[in-house]
Amino acid sequence: MMDWTDRHCRYFHRLLSPRSRLYTEMVTSAALVRGGQLRLLEHSQQEHPVALQLGGSEPEELAQAAVFGARAGYDEINLNVGCPSDRVQSGRFGACLMLDPALVGQCVQAMRDAVQAAGSSVPVTVKCRIGVDDQDAYAGLQRFTEAMVEAGVQILVVHARKAWLQGLSPKENREIPPLDYDRVYRLKREFAGLTVVINGGITTVPQVREHLQFVDGVMLGRAAYHDPFLLAELESSLYGEPLPTREAVLNHLRPYVEAELARGTALKHITRHLLGLYQGQPGARTFRRVLSEGAHRPGAGWSLLEEAMDPVRAAA
């Protein structure tokens, strides 16, 4: 979710779901180590539990980045070896690393050792795909998982699609390779002591509940971004929490918005994450249009959100 799940997005999502674990967008270890700590690690205490997701392939550099994350207060350090985009392949990290389980294991071990040496117990986890290119249907994933367990990984997040590194765009990699949930279920059965979290193509509450019969957790990506109220619906379904209204969620966001505006943040950087809140509801299109057209204007503030909510209230 590079360029998507920034700190404003995460704060908003936390209001919708008090219990979910939130993940940062993927941050490269090189960017952190070369001086981007303050900007790239900034987050609100209200976001917790929140995980820092790293990309990289140099064990020493990843170890340094993991320590920075632990010291910044993150609850988990996640190494992403599942992203198929050209941007990450060119830096030799992301999904291409699944072809070198030994190197990933070295990276994880270096990260764990460094975090523990810094006096932290923050877990180091891994996110991967079920395979890459023409890897064997299951044996490749099995070998990769064995290497992760040997390196000390206790939590593995698995996107249930292969990654095709040549010939498919990142968008196509999210849609064209077929989903194979059974392969992830099998992985959980064979590695019973490993916490396995499934990801990929999951968009509804019933789907989440179905997956939880076979694995330990479910990760949502674009579904939670484009239809963020799904997070509140899951909170209600899984934990029995009263379902809030969308307007109540926005009103809870107001102090954050006004504080960010006071420190110089442009409204558009926050409202771009709110566009899907009324997905499927009467007035949703006007809500999106008002925010999209007005948030970039100089001086835009909370009154714009009130204006955006008016047609939704009228349609209710």
Side-chain angles (χ1 to χ4, degrees):
M1 304 293 285
M2 294 170 75
D3 302 323
W4 291 39
T5 51
D6 62 16
R7 62 187 180 89
H8 306 307
C9 176
R10 298 192 302 269
Y11 190 98
F12 170 52
H13 283 186
R14 177 58 70 216
L15 295 178
L16 290 157
S17 179
R19 291 179 177 83
S20 62
R21 174 156 297 207
L22 303 178
Y23 284 73
T24 69
E25 56 193 319
M26 187 169 68
V27 177
T28 68
S29 56
L32 279 183
V33 170
R34 294 170 189 170
Q37 294 176 52
L38 290 178
R39 176 178 60 86
L40 295 172
L41 294 178
E42 184 178 4
H43 66 285
S44 165
Q45 288 305 305
Q46 283 72 32
E47 292 177 34
H48 293 278
V50 59
L52 171 66
Q53 189 170 97
L54 294 175
S57 60
E58 296 293 334
E60 291 184 10
E61 190 175 73
L62 279 165
Q64 286 183 266
V67 170
F68 291 153
R71 288 176 177 167
Y74 283 92
D75 302 292
E76 173 187 335
I77 311 297
N78 178 261
L79 177 60
N80 187 320
V81 294
C83 182
S85 79
D86 293 339
R87 288 166 63 182
V88 298
Q89 286 186 60
S90 63
R92 196 167 179 256
F93 54 96
C96 62
L97 285 177
M98 285 196 70
L99 298 171
D100 194 346
L103 175 58
V104 180
Q106 292 170 21
C107 291
V108 169
Q109 189 66 62
M111 293 164 73
R112 293 183 69 247
D113 289 347
V115 166
Q116 290 172 6
S120 174
S121 59
V122 173
V124 175
T125 67
V126 171
K127 183 175 189 289
C128 66
R129 292 275 186 140
I130 57 173
V132 177
D133 295 337
D134 293 317
Q135 273 186 332
D136 177 83
Y138 181 75
L141 178 61
Q142 186 181 46
R143 286 192 296 271
F144 179 84
T145 303
E146 288 170 349
M148 296 307 98
V149 171
E150 186 175 345
V153 169
Q154 296 180 333
I155 302 173
L156 187 67
V157 182
V158 186
H159 186 139
R161 281 189 175 95
K162 274 190 175 185
W164 288 96
L165 302 181
Q166 302 295 329
L168 292 182
S169 69
K171 181 177 186 297
E172 290 170 331
N173 259 294
R174 296 191 298 269
E175 300 169 352
I176 293 177
L179 287 158
D180 190 346
Y181 296 132
D182 287 338
R183 196 181 303 185
V184 185
Y185 299 163
R186 177 181 174 184
L187 192 74
K188 174 58 187 178
R189 290 195 302 270
E190 296 187 6
F191 293 85
L194 181 68
T195 296
V196 176
V197 179
I198 199 166
N199 171 237
I202 304 165
T203 60
T204 69
V205 171
Q207 288 172 356
V208 170
R209 297 186 71 94
E210 173 70 15
H211 287 303
L212 288 175
Q213 297 182 51
F214 304 100
V215 292
D216 303 294
V218 175
M219 175 183 277
L220 301 179
R222 282 160 182 80
Y225 190 91
H226 293 304
D227 184 10
F229 201 68
L230 173 61
L231 293 172
E233 293 171 335
L234 280 166
E235 195 82 22
S236 178
S237 175
L238 296 175
Y239 303 108
E241 293 291 338
L243 192 65
T245 66
R246 291 167 172 83
E247 184 170 345
V249 173
L250 285 179
N251 285 332
H252 280 107
L253 184 65
R254 181 172 183 171
Y256 178 84
V257 171
E258 293 180 338
E260 284 295 319
L261 293 175
R263 66 182 290 202
T265 301
L267 184 65
K268 64 182 180 181
H269 295 311
I270 302 173
T271 55
R272 72 188 185 99
H273 303 300
L274 312 181
L275 299 180
L277 180 60
Y278 285 91
Q279 178 75 18
Q281 301 298 302
R285 182 175 298 179
T286 306
F287 176 82
R288 292 192 300 269
R289 178 179 56 77
V290 171
L291 292 184
S292 298
E293 293 178 357
H296 68 281
R297 294 172 184 162
W302 180 258
S303 61
L304 182 71
L305 280 97
E306 292 286 349
E307 180 185 344
M309 283 187 279
D310 282 341
V312 181
R313 294 171 179 144

